[in-house]
Amino acid sequence: MNLRCLSCQRTYPQDTYRWRCECGGVFELEGTPGFAQDKIKTDDISLWRYRAMLPVNYEEGIISLGEGLTPLVETQVYGTNIHCKLEFLAPTGSFKDRGTAVLINVLKRMGVKRVVEDSSGNAGASLAAYAARSGIEAEIYVPAYASPNKLAQIAVYGAKLVKVEGPRERASQAAQEAAAQGAYYASHYYNPFTLEGLKTIAYEIWEQLGGRAPDNLVLPVGHGTLLLGDYRGFNDLLSVGLIEKLPRLFAVQAEPCAPLYEAYQRELDDAFPIEKNETVAEGISIAQPVRGRQILAAVRETGGTVLAVSDEETLRARDELARRGLYVEPTSAVAIAALPQLRDLIKDEELTVVPLTGSGLKS
Ligand SMILES: [Zn+2]
C-alpha cells in the first residue's frame, strides 16, 4: 500500500509523516484489499468484522472501543420514508470514530508517540478518546467558538486542548505549525486512513439491507469525509459485483457556509474559498474543503446533487427528528432539512439512507 497524490500522482510510503504532497495535493491510499464477502468475520460485532478489507489486517492487539455496527432505523420525515443510520451511537457520539479507530491502529504500528489535530469538536473528541485508549499523546487545536460540551469532552479524555481565536482555519494553521515541529498531523480530512475507516459504513448498510445498496444517500457535508468514505465503500461493493450501481449521493450544506453548493451551482470542478457566516451546523462550517474536487466528482458520477438549507430549516428538522425519538446535533439535521427539496427527486418506492452523524447531547 502507498499514498498517492491526487494532483500530481507522486507516491509516498504509507508510513510517511507527510500529511500532503510536496505539490500541496491530498493523498489517497492505494493498493487496499477491496471487499471480500467471504472474509467478513461475522462473529465480530464491530467494524473490525471487515478487518481483511482494511489497512489493519491483524488478529491480535487491535485498539478498539467497539466502534461500528450502528443500528439502521426506519422512520418518515416530511413525508419521505428514510432509514436512519445511527452513527451518533458511536463510542464518542459521532461517526468520526470509524476513521479514528483505523487511523490510530496504523499510527500505533508506526510507533507514533504524539499526534496533533484541529477540529470544531467531534473529530477532536474522537482522536482524544482513541489516543487515550492507545497511550498516544494528543494535542487538539479548536476554534474558541466551539461548543463547550465538545471542548469539555476533548479535555476529559486527557488530551491537551488549545483554543485558537478567530475563524476555523486559524486552528488548522496552528495544528500544522505544531506538526512541523515533529508531531504526526492526524487530520481527519487530510489523512487517507480515516477514509478507509469510514468506508465501513457502506459495507454495513449493504449487510443491513440484506445485500443491496440504497437508491439514495443524503448526507451533511463540510470536508466531505463521510461522503467520500461511503463513495469508496460502495465502489468496493460495485467492483466485485455485489451491487449493480452506486447510490445517488445528495450532499447537503448549511447556507451560511456552502462552498460546494456555490461551486455546484456554477458547474465548477472544485470549490473556491468563500466568505462564510456563522451557522448552527458548526461541524460542517468549512470555507474551503480540501477534497472539494473529489466530492463534486462523486456527486456528479452518482447522479446526485448538492443542496443547501437555512439554519431555521436545520433547527426545525432537528426538532422533527427528536419528535420521532432521535436526538441529533444541528449539523446532523441538515440532511433531514433537505428532504423537502428532494421530494421530486426521490420516489416513494426508493430506499433512502440518512446517516445521523452526531449526538444531540453534544450541542
Ligand atoms: Zn502532488
Side-chain angles (χ1 to χ4, degrees), residues 107-122:
L107 299 186
K108 193 70 181 173
R109 289 267 152 150
M110 276 169 62
V112 169
K113 300 277 185 284
R114 189 168 152 252
V115 292
V116 293
E117 156 79 306
D118 53 278
S119 161
S120 68
N122 285 339

Side-chain angles (χ1 to χ4, degrees), residues 162-222:
V162 186
K163 284 190 202 176
V164 184
E165 294 295 334
R168 169 74 178 79
E169 289 67 29
R170 277 293 305 138
S172 308
Q173 286 161 13
Q176 288 160 14
E177 282 157 20
Q181 306 303 315
Y184 185 96
Y185 182 33
S187 166
H188 61 285
Y189 50 95
Y190 273 108
N191 195 286
F193 294 107
T194 61
L195 292 183
E196 284 299 302
L198 290 169
K199 76 183 182 185
T200 59
I201 191 173
Y203 298 170
E204 285 178 24
I205 292 169
W206 175 81
E207 274 202 83
Q208 288 170 317
L209 293 176
R212 59 162 291 189
D215 299 292
N216 311 298
L217 263 174
V218 189
L219 320 109
V221 171

Side-chain angles (χ1 to χ4, degrees), residues 5 7-10 12 21-25:
C5 169
S7 300
C8 75
Q9 307 304 320
R10 184 173 168 183
Y12 295 81
C21 180
E22 259 170 42
C23 81

Side-chain angles (χ1 to χ4, degrees), residues 45-344:
I45 309 300
S46 78
L47 64 76
W48 296 105
R49 66 204 273 106
Y50 308 114
R51 71 182 67 164
M53 301 142 225
L54 293 169
V56 189
N57 188 13
Y58 43 81
E59 292 299 315
E60 298 297 318
I62 285 180
I63 299 154
S64 170
L65 292 166
E67 55 284 336
L69 243 64
T70 55
L72 195 62
V73 173
E74 270 188 87
T75 189
Q76 190 187 64
V77 192
Y78 300 132
T80 303
N81 294 317
I82 55 172
H83 285 68
C84 296
K85 181 80 169 140
L86 308 194
E87 289 295 287
F88 64 83
L89 296 177
T92 74
S94 92
F95 77 99
K96 305 277 187 193
D97 291 344
R98 292 180 186 273
T100 312
V102 169
L103 174 62
I104 216 80
N105 277 281
V106 170
L107 299 186
K108 193 70 181 173
R109 289 267 152 150
M110 276 169 62
V112 169
K113 300 277 185 284
R114 189 168 152 252
V115 292
V116 293
E117 156 79 306
D118 53 278
S119 161
S120 68
N122 285 339
S126 182
L127 185 65
Y130 285 86
R133 182 75 167 172
S134 64
I136 292 174
E137 205 182 305
E139 202 169 294
I140 315 291
Y141 291 77
V142 292
Y145 65 75
S147 137
N149 284 5
K150 290 180 180 172
L151 301 188
Q153 190 188 4
I154 293 169
V156 80
Y157 289 126
K160 188 178 166 201
L161 185 66
V162 186
K163 284 190 202 176
V164 184
E165 294 295 334
R168 169 74 178 79
E169 289 67 29
R170 277 293 305 138
S172 308
Q173 286 161 13
Q176 288 160 14
E177 282 157 20
Q181 306 303 315
Y184 185 96
Y185 182 33
S187 166
H188 61 285
Y189 50 95
Y190 273 108
N191 195 286
F193 294 107
T194 61
L195 292 183
E196 284 299 302
L198 290 169
K199 76 183 182 185
T200 59
I201 191 173
Y203 298 170
E204 285 178 24
I205 292 169
W206 175 81
E207 274 202 83
Q208 288 170 317
L209 293 176
R212 59 162 291 189
D215 299 292
N216 311 298
L217 263 174
V218 189
L219 320 109
V221 171
H223 272 302
T225 55
L226 177 65
L227 182 143
L228 291 172
D230 273 297
Y231 176 74
R232 212 171 161 80
F234 282 112
N235 256 301
D236 284 352
L237 294 162
L238 184 69
S239 61
V240 293
L242 288 170
I243 58 174
E244 281 166 18
K245 64 177 176 65
L246 297 173
R248 289 188 293 177
L249 298 175
F250 293 105
V252 190
Q253 298 217 281
E255 267 172 18
C257 180
L260 293 161
Y261 175 73
E262 296 286 339
Y264 187 83
Q265 291 294 313
R266 297 183 198 189
E267 299 181 8
L268 302 176
D269 290 335
D270 201 353
F272 53 93
I274 55 147
E275 282 292 320
K276 68 174 181 184
N277 295 300
E278 267 186 42
T279 167
V280 294
E282 57 176 21
I284 52 169
S285 176
I286 305 297
Q288 196 178 7
V290 299
R291 295 179 185 273
R293 185 175 289 274
Q294 281 174 280
I295 296 163
L296 291 167
V299 165
R300 289 186 174 117
E301 182 194 335
T302 62
T305 181
V306 185
L307 307 111
V309 295
S310 70
D311 277 4
E312 200 183 1
E313 291 169 317
T314 297
L315 291 175
R316 198 186 320 137
R318 190 266 314 265
D319 292 350
E320 285 292 331
L321 208 50
R323 301 287 190 275
R324 290 156 179 80
L326 299 163
Y327 183 37
V328 299
E329 61 174 320
T331 302
S332 314
V334 299
I336 302 297
L339 292 176
Q341 292 185 50
L342 290 170
R343 202 167 287 140
D344 293 337

Side-chain angles (χ1 to χ4, degrees), residues 24-41:
V26 290
F27 290 140
E28 184 155 79
L29 189 64
E30 65 172 13
T32 50
F35 192 82
Q37 191 173 5
D38 59 342
K39 290 191 179 147
I40 300 174
K41 283 181 76 77

